[in-house]
Amino acid sequence: INAEYMGDTKWLVHKVREGADFVTTQLFFSNGDYFKFVDRCRAAGIVTPIIPGIMLFSTLAQVRRFTSFCGSTIPKELEDQLIACDKDAVKERRCAVEWALSQIRGLLAGGAPGFHMYILNRHESAVEIISSLSNEGIVSKRQ
């Protein structure tokens, strides 16, 4: 999460003081970025929940494009995994789902108050992720 693209922390403080009940982050692929952002917000006096935003991507080109827009970075491990998919759509989808699952598990274990998925019309992946997390007892499905 890039401070330049997230906006100056003082503006976020202002928004929270004006009544924001929670904050949702932009996309990121390294959980450490989220926790550093939360620490910076807490140091600035923001005490509202900060919900991590997880993007369900489809290709390495898409990940590169989105991160260039927002200033986020692509971890080498993720880039290597996507390169190894060799533009195979099935393999790339599997990589995206597994990366998101790993991120969400780590975020929740680290104290994140929840998560938001930017699904980009990939509802099948979102359903699979929620089903997996539900089967693991990490989240519960709503009726």
Side-chain angles (χ1 to χ4, degrees):
I1 301 172
N2 183 310
E4 178 183 341
Y5 291 92
M6 283 300 293
D8 192 359
T9 305
K10 71 177 182 177
W11 288 111
L12 190 54
V13 168
H14 174 74
K15 291 175 185 180
V16 170
R17 286 187 182 149
E18 290 297 314
D21 294 322
F22 63 93
V23 172
T24 303
T25 72
Q26 69 179 26
L27 67 95
F28 60 92
F29 296 104
S30 174
N31 288 359
D33 291 341
Y34 167 79
F35 292 114
K36 287 176 196 171
F37 177 71
V38 170
D39 289 344
R40 194 172 79 238
C41 289
R42 298 299 182 237
I46 297 171
V47 296
T48 58
I50 300 174
I51 311 296
I54 305 299
M55 186 181 98
L56 303 183
F57 55 87
S58 59
T59 66
L60 178 56
Q62 184 187 51
V63 171
R64 287 178 174 154
R65 187 172 55 254
F66 275 91
T67 56
S68 73
F69 295 155
C70 68
S72 188
T73 59
I74 307 169
K76 179 150 178 38
E77 180 184 359
L78 174 58
E79 188 169 35
D80 290 347
Q81 287 177 21
L82 286 168
I83 289 169
C85 291
D86 198 29
K87 298 183 180 181
D88 179 306
V90 172
K91 290 178 182 178
E92 287 175 324
R93 180 183 178 280
R94 173 69 12 226
C95 179
V97 167
E98 291 302 323
W99 191 269
L101 278 167
S102 177
Q103 271 199 285
I104 292 166
R105 289 179 190 120
L107 289 162
L108 295 176
F115 60 94
H116 170 78
M117 286 189 286
Y118 299 105
I119 66 170
L120 306 171
N121 295 323
R122 286 170 185 59
H123 66 277
E124 298 91 353
S125 295
V127 169
E128 181 180 346
I129 288 166
I130 294 301
S131 291
S132 292
L133 294 171
S134 177
N135 290 340
E136 295 170 25
I138 294 173
V139 300
S140 59
K141 290 183 185 175
R142 294 201 173 154
Q143 299 294 339

